[in-house]
């Protein structure tokens, strides 16, 4: 204080330039900037990692769905639309790493087979390759895959709520394993092929490293850092159905242009397999016939007709169609049928529906005449000649025949 | 200049100025701050360029899907060097079975990567122009369908380009049953195709992709056949 006062009264006080103040300011600014940078860095770093993880999961999902949609071109005779590759159980840095380990058991765990999918290895924000579990129903060894096939894997959230309610079960689950936590070791080849070194045990003691699940998608904590992305039938079955529908529409229009009539449908309450799904000349609505009348499918006495892929009949796709034709396009006029159909006010010679995956706990068994198991809109369920374009409550696809 | 009241003038100036020591300190601080910031800024710019290039190359991927959906095939590369030529930047049907530059005008995408500069004369170098190779089965005038494959690879099979991707250590990142249909890459900050990307194989085209390292800074993407088919089926273009 004394000094201060002395200076205050000194004639030299103008020489005080506030250098100390400047230095203090610089230190303060430097400190504040450092702190700011540190916080920003750790936050942006975490956000950046989360983004990498989310992107990798999305890419893997897109690639797996692409595989399922385009399957039957991948070299294997048993391949058909809708089947997924087996997980990859090879250790990193081995020659087959990235390739599916086929055959696989139901709900098998392994890495996303990125080489089989022909994509760049998808890695999460911590640099780990993604893991993957596949429902037994969608393996190449499954007997039948069509619209009726349901996922079987179950996923809970951190509080024990079901994330895969009936009708939305998981077909496949992609895991971003995150950094090693707890007792996880990822050094040797055997460490690196053991799911428990990557997938964690959730707060409700559900262990994601369990083959065929159930699985858990909890929020991140010190003991759980897996991130899950679920593939359900609704993510890819509509595209598969589009492919199937387009093939069958071509077959039907060819049939009509050759024979001057569409085949009669097969009876809903009788049709259950290739032996029973035969055209019934007394009806105008039902299923797609396996054996057609008035003339059978061209080139052979039953499906597959020329121009349709072999997987169509081996996977019972003909069972899932709802098929209806007006009498003007049939060889004769069954009773109770109009010359043309009415679709949302427009006239249509014929139509078929792709029914989408079964909703809720519906389990389609054959034979059945429950149209409501397939079509959701009430107007489309009542077995008359009036139909509506599928509304937002429905997962059906309507195809009008010329 | 200050005279006649020169003394007052000088004194006034002295009062208001900084000493050399003060100036030195200020300059030192500024230099330190700048010195600390510059590397960060330049690496930020580099990172920004990398991110921009990644974003652009993703747009190219989408544009290729779009082109395939509209046309039922993928475009052929271009190497027309004359910017005044009407076909500059458009696909060249004669280049369907070799590597060239991405036909940016045909696709309506960015001409170069973030490091590149646009050419304006015949003799200008192709700095930062996207390199592009498409399997001939998917770009030939005959449209592809769900049965289109790769023929009998790897070598001596004129039916296909048999594309393959390797990492910097030479490990194959693709297998022989499902090959890339199309490859697009940026030559990165060094404007040079690195590693396997530097050599052109007419059949069994080998390309390289890896994280950036001192010997490799290219940014490469590829599209698989299932990805292409999935988009085509979703759009109702196939089968």
């Amino acid at each position: 204080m004394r000094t201060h006062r002395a200076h205050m009264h000194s004639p030299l006080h103008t020489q005080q330039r506030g250098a100390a103040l400047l230095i203090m300011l610089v230190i303060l600014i430097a400190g504040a900037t450092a702190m700011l940078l540190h916080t920003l860095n750790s936050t942006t770093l975490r956000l950046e990692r989360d983004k990498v993880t989310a992107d990798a999961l999305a890419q893997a999902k897109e690639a797996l769905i692409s595989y399922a949609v385009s399957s039957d071109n991948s070299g294997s005779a048993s391949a058909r639309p809708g089947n997924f590759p087996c997980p990859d159980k090879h250790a990193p840095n081995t020659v087959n790493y990235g390739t599916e380990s086929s055959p696989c058991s139901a709900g098998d765990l392994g890495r996303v087979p990125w080489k089989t999918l022909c994509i760049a290895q998808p890695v999460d924000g911590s640099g780990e390759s993604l893991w993957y579990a596949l429902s037994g129903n969608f393996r190449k060894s499954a007997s039948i895959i069509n619209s009726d096939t349901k996922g079987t894997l179950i996923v809970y959230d951190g509080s024990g709520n079901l994330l895969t309610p009936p009708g939305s079960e998981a077909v496949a689950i992609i895991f971003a394993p995150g950094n090693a936590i707890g007792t996880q070791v990822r050094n040797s080849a055997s460490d690196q092929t053991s799911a428990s070194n990557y997938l964690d045990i959730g707060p409700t003691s559900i262990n994601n490293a369990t083959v065929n699940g159930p699985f858990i998608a909890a929020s991140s904590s010190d003991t759980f850092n897996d991130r899950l992305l679920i593939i359900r039938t609704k993510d890819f079955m509509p595209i598969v159905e589009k492919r199937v529908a387009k093939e069958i529409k071509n077959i039907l229009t060819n049939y009509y242009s050759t024979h001057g009539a569409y085949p009669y449908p097969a009876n809903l309450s009788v049709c259950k397999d290739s032996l029973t799904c035969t055209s019934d000349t007394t009806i105008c609505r039902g299923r797609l016939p396996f054996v057609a009348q008035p003339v059978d499918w061209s080139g052979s006495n039953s499906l597959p007709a020329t121009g349709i892929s072999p997987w169509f009949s081996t996977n019972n796709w003909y069972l899932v169609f709802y098929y209806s034709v007006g009498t003007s396009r049939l060889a004769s006029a069954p009773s109770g049928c109009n010359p043309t159909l009415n679709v949302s006010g427009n006239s249509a010679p014929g139509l078929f529906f792709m029914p989408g995956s079964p909703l809720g706990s519906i389990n389609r068994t054959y034979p059945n005449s429950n149209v409501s198991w397939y079509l959701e809109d009430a107007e489309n369920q009542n077995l008359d000649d009036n139909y509506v374009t599928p509304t937002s409550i429905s997962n059906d696809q309507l195809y009008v025949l010329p | 200049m200050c005279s006649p009241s020169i003394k007052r003038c000088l004194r006034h100036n002295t009062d208001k100025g900084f000493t050399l020591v003060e100036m030195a300190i200020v300059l030192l601080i500024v230099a330190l701050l700048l010195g600390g910031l510059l590397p960060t800024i330049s690496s930020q710019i580099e990172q920004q360029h990398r991110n921009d290039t990644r974003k652009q190359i993703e747009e190219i991927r989408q544009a290729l899907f779009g082109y395939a959906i509209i046309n039922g095939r993928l475009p052929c590369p271009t190497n027309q060097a004359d910017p005044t030529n009407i076909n500059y930047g458009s696909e060249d049907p004669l280049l369907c079975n070799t590597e060239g530059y991405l036909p940016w005008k045909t696709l309506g995408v960015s001409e170069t990567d973030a490091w590149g500069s646009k050419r304006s004369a015949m003799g200008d170098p192709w700095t930062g122009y996207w390199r592009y190779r498409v399997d001939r089965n998917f770009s030939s005038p005959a449209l592809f369908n769900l049965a289109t494959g790769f023929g009998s690879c790897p070598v001596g099979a004129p039916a296909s380009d048999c594309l393959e991707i390797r990492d910097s250590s030479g490990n194959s990142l693709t297998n022989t049953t499902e090959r890339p249909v199309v490859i697009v890459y940026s030559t990165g900050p060094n404007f040079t195709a690195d590693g396997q990307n530097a050599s052109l194989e007419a059949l069994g085209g080998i390309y390289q992709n890896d994280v950036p390292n001192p010997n490799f800074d290219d940014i490469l993407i590829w599209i698989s056949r299932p990805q292409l088919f999935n988009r085509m089926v979703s759009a109702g273009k196939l089968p």
Side-chain angles (χ1 to χ4, degrees):
Chain A
M1 283 301 281
R2 202 151 49 88
T3 327
H4 178 66
R5 210 178 297 136
H7 277 290
M8 285 279 284
H9 296 286
S10 160
L12 294 173
H13 75 275
T14 48
Q15 285 173 4
Q16 276 289 331
R17 308 277 187 221
L21 205 66
L22 264 176
I23 292 169
M24 245 177 70
L25 204 67
V26 167
I27 292 172
L28 266 175
I29 290 173
T33 319
M35 263 182 68
L36 191 73
L37 277 177
H38 182 257
T39 354
L40 276 179
N41 258 346
S42 58
T43 319
T44 37
L45 215 70
R46 193 168 47 76
L47 286 176
E48 195 66 36
R49 279 185 178 175
D50 286 352
K51 192 182 171 316
V52 171
T53 301
D55 286 351
L57 286 168
Q59 278 164 19
K61 180 173 176 175
E62 192 246 336
L64 284 164
I65 288 174
S66 295
Y67 183 96
V69 169
S70 66
S71 183
D72 96 311
N73 300 291
S74 48
S76 164
S78 62
R80 62 266 159 103
N83 65 210
F84 285 74
C86 284
D88 165 29
K89 294 177 156 191
H90 303 100
N93 303 318
T94 57
V95 66
N96 287 322
Y97 179 58
T99 310
E100 66 168 331
S101 301
S102 185
C104 45
S105 51
D108 230 350
L109 281 163
R111 289 185 177 80
V112 171
W114 50 275
K115 262 190 212 176
T116 303
L117 299 171
C118 193
I119 57 169
Q121 180 180 9
V123 290
D124 68 10
S126 57
E128 286 295 348
S129 194
L130 303 185
W131 283 65
Y132 160 62
L134 175 62
S135 160
N137 282 0
F138 289 86
R139 290 173 295 162
K140 283 175 191 154
S141 54
S143 57
I144 283 170
I145 297 178
N146 62 29
S147 301
D148 298 348
T149 314
K150 300 171 85 169
T152 49
L153 301 179
I154 300 296
V155 185
Y156 293 93
D157 72 8
S159 330
N161 302 314
L162 194 59
L163 293 175
T164 49
S168 293
E169 295 90 347
V171 168
I173 301 164
I174 312 169
F175 303 88
N179 289 319
I181 51 171
T183 55
Q184 292 176 341
V185 192
R186 301 175 181 176
N187 300 328
S188 68
S190 65
D191 292 344
Q192 292 170 347
T193 47
S194 165
S196 56
N197 284 326
Y198 293 85
L199 306 180
D200 312 328
I201 300 172
T204 51
S205 299
I206 294 177
N207 188 349
N208 276 339
T210 312
V211 168
N212 218 11
F215 301 98
I216 181 161
S219 41
S220 203
S221 71
D222 291 343
T223 54
F224 184 91
N225 65 0
D226 297 348
R227 285 196 51 196
L228 277 67
L229 190 63
I230 301 172
I231 299 180
R232 309 169 202 263
T233 48
K234 67 169 185 191
D235 296 325
F236 66 95
M237 201 47 93
I239 314 174
V240 170
E241 285 191 336
K242 230 172 178 172
R243 180 178 169 186
V244 175
K246 205 129 181 241
E247 292 211 14
I248 208 67
K249 191 175 175 182
N250 286 341
I251 297 292
L252 281 166
T253 47
N254 286 343
Y255 186 100
Y256 178 74
S257 60
T258 311
H259 305 299
Y262 286 110
Y264 292 95
N267 197 320
L268 289 174
S269 52
V270 175
C271 171
K272 60 172 180 170
D273 53 29
S274 61
L275 297 174
T276 51
C277 283
T278 303
S279 281
D280 183 339
T281 56
T282 64
I283 57 170
C284 61
R285 53 189 87 91
R287 299 199 198 289
L288 193 79
F290 187 85
V291 178
Q293 285 188 43
V295 189
D296 204 0
W297 302 103
S298 59
S300 67
N301 57 3
S302 58
L303 283 171
T306 312
I308 199 158
S309 310
W311 46 255
F312 183 86
S313 43
T314 52
N315 287 283
N316 293 356
W317 273 102
Y318 53 91
L319 286 179
V320 308
F321 285 80
Y322 176 88
Y323 166 63
S324 178
V325 189
T327 54
S328 66
R329 291 284 196 274
L330 288 173
S332 65
S335 65
C337 302
N338 294 331
T340 56
L341 313 177
N342 179 331
V343 179
S344 299
N346 299 314
S347 156
L351 56 77
F352 65 85
F353 281 94
M354 296 302 299
S357 299
L359 298 179
S361 42
I362 292 172
N363 198 15
R364 296 174 186 156
T365 52
Y366 295 89
N368 76 75
S369 46
N370 295 323
V371 184
S372 62
W373 283 2
Y374 300 82
L375 310 181
E376 285 75 38
D377 293 304
E379 182 60 270
N380 297 335
Q381 296 172 343
N382 55 6
L383 293 169
D384 64 10
D385 284 336
N386 294 319
Y387 298 91
V388 289
T389 311
T391 61
S392 57
I393 60 154
S394 166
N395 65 355
D396 307 336
Q397 292 177 33
L398 168 67
Y399 293 83
V400 173
L401 295 168
Chain B
M1 281 219 277
C2 275
S3 75
S5 53
I6 188 163
K7 276 186 181 168
R8 196 176 162 195
C9 175
L10 279 174
R11 188 172 165 197
H12 179 78
N13 282 350
T14 328
D15 282 351
K16 292 291 175 194
F18 294 105
T19 68
L20 279 175
V21 174
E22 284 163 354
M23 285 303 289
I25 291 172
V26 168
L27 283 176
L28 187 76
I29 291 167
V30 169
L32 277 175
L33 279 174
L34 275 181
L37 280 178
L38 269 180
T40 326
I41 289 172
S42 72
S43 78
Q44 281 286 339
I45 291 172
E46 184 63 32
Q47 191 56 43
Q48 192 59 44
H49 278 159
R50 195 163 278 283
N51 291 345
D52 287 348
T53 300
R54 287 222 164 272
K55 212 175 278 175
Q56 288 170 337
I57 213 164
E58 277 310 312
E59 280 165 14
I60 291 170
R61 187 204 295 271
Q62 300 306 325
L64 286 166
F65 284 135
Y67 185 93
I69 287 168
I70 294 168
N71 298 287
R73 64 175 184 88
L74 288 161
C76 298
T78 178
N79 67 356
Q80 173 56 251
D82 181 5
T84 62
N85 188 297
I86 189 153
N87 290 323
Y88 183 62
S90 300
E91 66 164 333
D92 183 346
L94 301 176
L95 286 178
C96 292
N97 51 6
T98 186
E99 185 185 316
Y101 297 99
L102 183 83
W104 68 91
K105 279 188 190 165
T106 304
L107 292 168
V109 293
S110 67
E111 196 167 333
T112 68
D113 60 23
W115 295 279
S117 48
K118 282 183 185 163
R119 304 172 72 251
S120 53
M122 185 85 173
D124 286 352
W126 294 83
T127 15
Y129 278 72
W130 308 102
R131 309 291 179 96
Y132 175 66
R133 174 109 181 233
V134 56
D135 191 292
R136 66 196 71 185
N137 285 356
F138 295 84
S139 66
S140 64
L143 311 182
F144 63 79
N145 58 46
L146 291 179
T148 305
F150 301 100
S152 52
C153 291
V155 188
S160 171
D161 287 57
C162 300
L163 302 175
E164 181 190 344
I165 318 276
R166 293 185 186 167
D167 68 11
S168 297
S169 322
N171 303 314
S172 190
L173 300 177
T174 50
N175 66 23
T176 52
T177 50
E178 199 60 70
R179 293 171 178 278
V181 164
V182 52
I183 285 166
V184 183
Y185 68 97
S186 147
T187 47
N190 70 356
F191 304 131
T192 313
D194 302 319
Q196 290 285 357
N197 298 339
S199 58
L200 172 67
E201 300 85 4
L203 292 167
I206 300 166
Y207 289 85
Q208 188 170 327
N209 186 40
D210 213 323
V211 289
N213 60 51
N215 298 317
F216 183 85
D217 66 2
D218 297 356
I219 298 172
L220 180 141
I221 60 152
W222 67 93
I223 293 176
S224 75
R225 195 170 53 150
Q227 286 171 325
L228 184 64
F229 286 173
N230 179 31
R231 297 297 185 101
M232 303 285 282
V233 171
S234 303
K237 190 77 184 177
L238 285 179

